[in-house]
Amino acid sequence: MSTLRKEISNGSFCGGIDVDSPLRHFSGATRTTNTNGFAHDLLEISMGPHHPSTHGVFRMDVIVDGEEIVQLKPVFGYLHRNHEKLAEKNSYLGIIPYTDRLDYICSMTNNWAYVLAVEKLSGFQATERAEYIRVIVSELTRLFNHACLVGFLLQDMGALGTPLMYAFREREKILDLFESLTGSRMMCNYMRFGGVRCDLPEGWLDEAKKVVSDYPGFIDQFEALITGNEILLARSQGVGVLSRELAISAGVTGPMLRASGVNYDIRKTDKYGIYSRFNFRVPLGDHGDVFDRYMIRVLEMRESLKILEQALNQIPAGPIIDPKAKNRGLRPKAGEVYSRIESPKGELGFHIISDGSASPYRLHIRPPSLINLTILEDMCLGQTIADAVIILGSVDIVLGEVDR
Amino acid sequence: MHTLEEIKNLVEQNVPGAVVQIVPNANPALAGSLLLDSKSATDVAEYLRDVAELKFDLCSNVTGIDWPSKEVKTKIKKLVDGVEKEVEEITKTPAFLEVVYHLYSTVLVHGPLALRMRTIDRAENNRVPSLTLVWRSCELQEREVYDLFGVVFEGHPDLRRLLMWDEFKHHPMRKDYVPPVDEGDAVEVSA
Amino acid sequence: MKFNFQGAGIVRGFVETARNFLGSYYDPERLTTVEYPERKLALPENVRTVPFLVYDHDMSGLRCTACKICEQECPAACIKIIKDTVKKSDYLGKSQFQPQVFDIDIAVCMSCGICAEVCPFDSIKMDQVYELATQDRFAPLILHKEQLGKSNAYFHAIHPTDAVETDSLRDEAKRKAETKAAADAAAKAAAAVKPKPEISTTANSQSVGTSATANVEKAVAT
């Protein structure tokens, strides 16, 4: 055993390697032995917080034996603003713009998760038209979130620029829709208790229909560009495998859980909003590797398009907000609620406790990005640093939500 | 989905030594939760995860709540010098920290079932058993509760701060936490 | 296009890129960006950046009544209002408070638009300016009443739908107020007339009716 190894396992940020940690018994992952004949000198690398592959300010404390990862500890908190404490001082209405800033790519779904929780707490019901609008904007959000994710993932694999720019071009079309609807491209602040803030502007539905009908063309183009690419297949297949059992135990949700073959989509199981009215399928993977996670996103985009087509054609006229639902100065009855939706990244939940006053006694956000990172180390053990980068990329995190 | 009473009965019949209490929701229209006792919590959790009728295999959400002591004024009738009078009595509610787990089942597709655990007080006796070895998803979330509320999870394999830095002394989500004065606040808005 | 050899996927990707690149020479649809400072895209009507205060005619007609609702509701707490001790008369002729200080720290403002949403006096609205960078981080980013105040014509220019709706509501309220004022004045006049015993009640009510309508007509005409 070399001296370097001793130093690292005694000192350093994470207290050395703990092969016997009970956490490792979940996956059965242990350190594999390096048989290339070199002495097992270990090297500790601090990846991040300013590293382009960490998608924000996230740090991974990695210990490698040669190229092989023997330990990986994620370090959080660089973007911590404590939204939960802010919420305790804000009015129920004033929290909505803060939810935009959790997962700052998908503000619409964040709005919906929060608004749905408060609606359950105070017994409001969104109007029919508002429910359709919510489904439309949320599925549009899912479309561009997944497009961005596959773009970023390929960027991590070394496909610099092209796939990401193709994805961003499509995203921009949807953001234009959001801008003309809500006034802001990303920080939409659109949903309200009992409905939505403003009605669709004239001609918006036609523009949305055009974007939706053009979108399959983009997916085809994107798939022709990259899906069959041998480098992509070699880099992603069999990398970062997550078993079905571990995925469930680790609370992994969203596309990542489904890539491991678990049929669990909250749109289907909870049927929140009006999702039970739409005909769509839940794509499932069976290897649980990075490639499956990539394909799940592509397939989910196609399913979202199905929902959008139905919703855009069925949307009824009517009021956009329930006049009985109070927004300003809302004081829900004392009570406790946990409510969740299927956000593009997984299960986004809000746990709210009201004591009957104008701001929540306690508001907790269940961030899918954070919880999906629980098993990051298990997926990375025995892989290389370059693989760790794409495994992290395939998880789909946004640091605004991880650190809150 | 079983009712809370049914789950409580099932647990009490099948887990030896289990002490389970139903905590009603303040809003009767919403679901209540089960309060677990520190000693048997891990056994109960394992039972809930494994038993074929319930199969709560997905522990979706873990939260902490701070309940500092509150003064509650109640009016009671009392005999003062032989005359019945209405006297205001001030009682203090017990102070404790609470951890809430929300469970779902991916197999039977039901939930949520809320489990709660309470510490004895907010100072030294701030311990509850960790459920990380039952559901792996609790790992980071229990670390977060430890960080923000100061609940110590016994048996957690890697209990460190999650969001705040290691040298940070306080627990910012506690109700009595006083945030430091930001230098930016000193700048008067009106010039 | 079908390829069936090792590396075919890569070739297919190149074909796709080439098609897109060459296509951009003849299809303007494929050019997705504009050269920003020289060319600017037209903004949709709903676009919101930072708040501004609407006035009618000139700054003395500032609609704000210093009610402080926006200050309370602002999630980021970036609005500061100090009431003036001197009241002014608003468009309905009612005596209202006015702000002595109205500051918005746009470094803190997160452009959510809740202030505009809750304002009961149609005073605070969302602007569409976006080139707000300054060289100093503090003082220039605090906008005072003078910088915030903008004319109703400007409001019409940037949010035509909202402005037209607001104006019609305000005209309606004004008409109602004038009708009521006229009716009140007439009732007062009638009350003053009433004690005279020689005028019969029917004649009295008749005269009140005519004078009231005459007043309303006069008010509408002005």
Side-chain angles (χ1 to χ4, degrees):
Chain A
M1 192 187 283
S2 74
T3 47
L4 180 65
R5 173 169 189 171
K6 211 172 171 188
E7 263 183 323
I8 282 171
S9 35
N10 289 341
S12 88
F13 320 104
C14 43
I17 302 168
D18 188 8
V19 178
D20 296 327
S21 164
L23 292 178
R24 295 210 171 169
H25 296 169
F26 278 97
S27 55
T30 47
R31 199 183 142 231
T32 51
T33 29
N34 189 336
T35 50
N36 58 10
F38 290 103
H40 300 292
D41 285 350
L42 299 187
L43 181 67
E44 179 165 353
I45 304 172
S46 176
M47 280 182 78
H50 295 285
H51 190 281
S53 76
T54 54
H55 299 246
V57 280
F58 172 66
R59 187 157 73 89
M60 292 185 283
D61 208 45
V62 193
I63 297 182
V64 286
D65 182 352
E67 272 274 321
E68 199 181 291
I69 295 175
V70 291
Q71 179 172 295
L72 184 146
K73 293 277 180 205
V75 184
F76 306 92
Y78 294 97
L79 198 58
H80 181 50
R81 298 146 289 172
N82 215 340
H83 275 278
E84 297 175 5
K85 192 83 177 175
L86 288 171
E88 287 177 11
K89 298 197 169 141
N90 241 319
S91 67
Y92 279 88
L93 174 64
I95 294 166
I96 299 176
Y98 279 102
T99 62
D100 290 341
R101 285 148 179 88
L102 292 169
D103 173 355
Y104 41 76
I105 292 182
C106 316
S107 63
M108 288 292 194
T109 45
N110 297 347
N111 278 186
W112 196 1
Y114 170 66
V115 164
L116 199 66
V118 176
E119 280 171 0
K120 276 189 187 168
L121 195 60
S122 38
F124 299 150
Q125 175 65 44
T127 59
E128 189 76 3
R129 185 176 172 82
E131 292 277 23
Y132 274 90
I133 297 177
R134 286 178 180 187
V135 168
I136 291 169
V137 294
S138 298
E139 292 306 319
L140 285 172
T141 305
R142 199 180 313 276
L143 279 185
F144 73 69
N145 176 76
H146 286 357
C148 283
L149 180 272
V150 289
F152 281 126
L153 180 59
L154 289 159
Q155 172 109 339
D156 289 341
M157 284 186 203
L160 289 173
T162 310
L164 183 62
M165 286 303 127
Y166 279 29
F168 265 49
R169 184 187 64 203
E170 292 315 300
R171 171 177 182 246
E172 213 54 40
K173 289 177 189 163
I174 298 173
L175 290 187
D176 283 347
L177 285 177
F178 282 6
E179 191 178 29
S180 65
L181 173 60
T182 71
S184 188
R185 292 165 69 246
M186 289 166 78
M187 303 297 134
C188 296
N189 180 21
Y190 183 56
M191 295 190 193
R192 291 290 179 270
F193 315 131
V196 293
R197 181 161 54 87
C198 51
D199 207 348
L200 307 174
E202 228 180 282
W204 194 88
L205 274 179
D206 297 326
E207 281 172 47
K209 278 178 189 164
K210 187 173 178 303
V211 169
V212 168
S213 61
D214 289 349
Y215 209 87
F218 156 70
I219 304 179
D220 293 341
Q221 190 189 31
F222 195 86
E223 287 216 81
L225 176 73
I226 209 81
T227 297
N229 190 306
E230 283 80 4
I231 304 173
L232 170 80
L233 302 180
R235 282 299 303 281
S236 61
Q237 287 184 342
V239 171
V241 177
L242 177 62
S243 73
R244 192 193 151 86
E245 290 71 31
L246 182 61
I248 296 172
S249 171
V252 170
T253 43
M256 220 178 136
L257 179 68
R258 294 192 284 276
S260 291
V262 183
N263 185 0
Y264 198 69
D265 186 321
I266 297 166
R267 289 175 292 175
K268 289 277 190 196
T269 59
D270 285 21
K271 297 191 176 64
Y272 64 94
I274 48 164
Y275 272 112
S276 52
R277 295 182 199 173
F278 301 116
N279 185 18
F280 68 102
R281 297 192 306 164
V282 181
L284 295 179
D286 42 29
H287 304 97
D289 57 3
V290 172
F291 184 76
D292 278 16
R293 277 174 229 141
Y294 162 79
M295 275 317 289
I296 284 284
R297 262 89 184 207
V298 175
L299 295 172
E300 272 193 12
M301 281 198 271
R302 295 194 191 271
E303 295 303 317
S304 284
L305 287 170
K306 281 190 201 163
I307 301 176
L308 277 168
E309 270 164 21
Q310 296 167 53
L312 286 168
N313 288 322
Q314 291 169 12
I315 181 167
I320 50 155
I321 190 158
D322 180 5
K324 277 177 283 174
K326 196 176 173 188
N327 275 279
R328 199 188 134 218
L330 174 69
R331 288 163 183 269
K333 269 187 280 177
E336 178 180 2
V337 74
Y338 179 72
S339 155
R340 57 178 193 163
I341 68 160
E342 179 76 30
S343 95
K345 301 198 163 53
E347 171 185 338
L348 177 65
F350 275 82
H351 178 230
I352 305 178
I353 299 179
S354 163
D355 58 353
S357 69
S359 38
Y361 182 81
R362 170 89 178 100
L363 180 142
H364 175 70
I365 304 146
R366 184 230 189 254
S369 299
L370 172 75
I371 294 160
N372 288 357
L373 284 177
T374 309
I375 30 67
L376 182 64
E377 183 183 19
D378 303 59
M379 291 192 287
C380 291
L381 286 178
Q383 315 264 356
T384 59
I385 287 274
D387 286 341
V389 169
I390 61 169
I391 292 169
L392 178 69
S394 71
V395 176
D396 193 5
I397 58 165
V398 159
L399 266 295
E401 188 177 70
V402 172
D403 290 341
R404 282 156 295 141
Chain B
M1 171 90 181
H2 296 62
T3 61
L4 275 182
E5 283 79 16
E6 283 165 2
I7 296 174
K8 178 177 183 273
N9 291 338
L10 268 176
V11 168
E12 280 175 343
Q13 281 158 21
N14 294 295
V15 184
V19 184
V20 183
Q21 235 178 300
I22 292 178
V23 181
N25 199 318
N27 184 344
L30 301 168
S33 49
L34 292 181
L35 178 66
L36 304 189
D37 158 64
S38 280
K39 273 186 199 127
S40 59
T42 342
D43 296 338
V44 174
E46 266 171 19
Y47 173 76
L48 290 175
R49 182 192 64 186
D50 295 334
V51 68
E53 296 139 279
L54 300 171
K55 276 275 177 210
F56 284 109
D57 50 0
L58 177 72
C59 176
S60 151
N61 178 47
V62 182
T63 328
I65 307 159
D66 183 19
W67 298 103
S69 181
K70 242 186 347 191
E71 285 183 352
V72 184
K73 283 179 186 171
T74 40
K75 281 189 176 171
I76 47 161
K77 281 186 176 171
K78 232 183 189 179
L79 282 174
V80 182
D81 305 330
V83 193
E84 194 170 271
K85 270 187 180 173
E86 207 168 69
V87 185
E88 210 167 68
E89 205 178 58
I90 297 172
T91 45
K92 279 197 162 183
T93 57
F96 55 85
L97 299 162
E98 194 172 37
V99 189
V100 185
Y101 297 76
H102 286 97
L103 311 181
Y104 286 90
S105 170
T106 59
V107 187
L108 304 173
V109 192
H110 59 203
L113 170 69
L115 301 183
R116 320 180 88 87
M117 287 195 282
R118 288 174 182 170
T119 63
I120 299 167
D121 60 34
R122 293 168 77 243
E124 280 85 53
N125 299 313
N126 54 353
R127 298 175 166 271
V128 291
S130 165
L131 300 185
T132 299
L133 298 183
V134 184
W135 293 286
R136 177 71 190 277
S137 59
C138 302
E139 184 195 346
L140 294 181
Q141 304 195 67
E142 283 183 351
R143 272 177 68 188
E144 182 187 313
V145 174
Y146 162 70
D147 185 0
L148 301 181
F149 289 90
V151 179
V152 175
F153 290 91
E154 278 179 331
H156 191 290
D158 186 22
L159 195 64
R160 292 176 291 138
R161 282 188 180 270
L162 184 83
L163 298 169
M164 307 306 280
W165 54 103
D166 289 341
E167 296 77 25
F168 190 78
K169 288 282 180 304
H170 311 280
H171 301 290
M173 279 306 289
R174 287 205 183 183
K175 291 278 174 186
D176 49 7
Y177 171 72
V178 184
V181 179
D182 187 1
E183 280 169 27
D185 288 353
V187 180
E188 261 294 295
V189 176
S190 154
Chain C
M1 231 167 292
K2 289 220 163 141
F3 304 108
N4 281 315
F5 53 90
Q6 183 69 21
I10 299 176
V11 173
R12 203 177 295 131
F14 281 136
V15 170
E16 203 54 52
T17 323
R19 191 189 292 164
N20 212 29
F21 171 66
L22 298 172
S24 67
Y25 280 95
Y26 63 89
D27 186 3
E29 277 276 293
R30 288 181 191 259
L31 290 173
T32 47
T33 53
V34 296
E35 293 185 352
Y36 159 59
E38 287 84 31
R39 272 195 63 210
K40 289 175 183 173
L41 293 173
L43 295 173
E45 198 185 323
N46 279 341
V47 163
R48 55 186 154 87
T49 54
V50 291
F52 73 101
L53 298 174
V54 186
Y55 60 71
D56 299 311
H57 315 300
D58 58 14
M59 270 303 277
S60 64
L62 207 60
R63 291 177 183 176
C64 178
T65 61
C67 68
K68 297 195 173 198
I69 289 176
C70 53
E71 192 184 24
Q72 277 169 21
E73 290 293 327
C74 176
C78 68
I79 304 178
K80 182 177 177 181
I81 301 171
I82 296 176
K83 260 186 204 174
D84 203 341
T85 44
V86 186
K87 286 191 176 185
K88 62 159 186 199
S89 133
D90 70 355
Y91 75 110
L92 298 175
K94 252 195 263 172
S95 180
Q96 294 276 21
F97 283 105
Q98 55 178 325
Q100 188 190 30
V101 173
F102 196 115
D103 288 351
I104 294 180
D105 188 347
I106 58 163
V108 177
C109 173
M110 56 179 177
S111 310
C112 63
I114 282 184
C115 50
E117 212 177 312
V118 298
C119 180
F121 299 97
D122 304 309
S123 164
I124 195 163
K125 295 286 172 188
M126 297 308 280
D127 210 339
Q128 295 193 339
V129 290
Y130 52 88
E131 285 159 335
L132 293 163
T134 58
Q135 299 211 323
D136 179 352
R137 283 191 292 149
F138 301 107
L141 288 176
I142 296 170
L143 300 186
H144 304 295
K145 195 170 74 176
E146 296 71 31
Q147 291 150 291
L148 288 168
K150 290 185 179 171
S151 68
N152 195 22
Y154 176 78
F155 179 38
H156 271 273
I158 60 171
H159 296 297
T161 317
D162 188 10
V164 167
E165 198 179 315
T166 309
D167 273 10
S168 73
L169 285 173
R170 283 169 73 87
D171 288 347
E172 178 76 8
K174 194 169 180 179
R175 206 162 35 243
K176 267 188 192 158
E178 277 165 358
T179 317
K180 191 166 174 286
D184 285 354
K188 225 178 221 174
V193 170
K194 216 175 187 179
K196 291 184 181 173
E198 57 264 35
I199 295 174
S200 71
T201 39
T202 44
N204 188 8
S205 65
Q206 255 177 4
S207 73
V208 170
T210 45
S211 73
T213 36
N215 266 333
V216 172
E217 273 162 12
K218 205 178 156 196
V220 171
T222 52

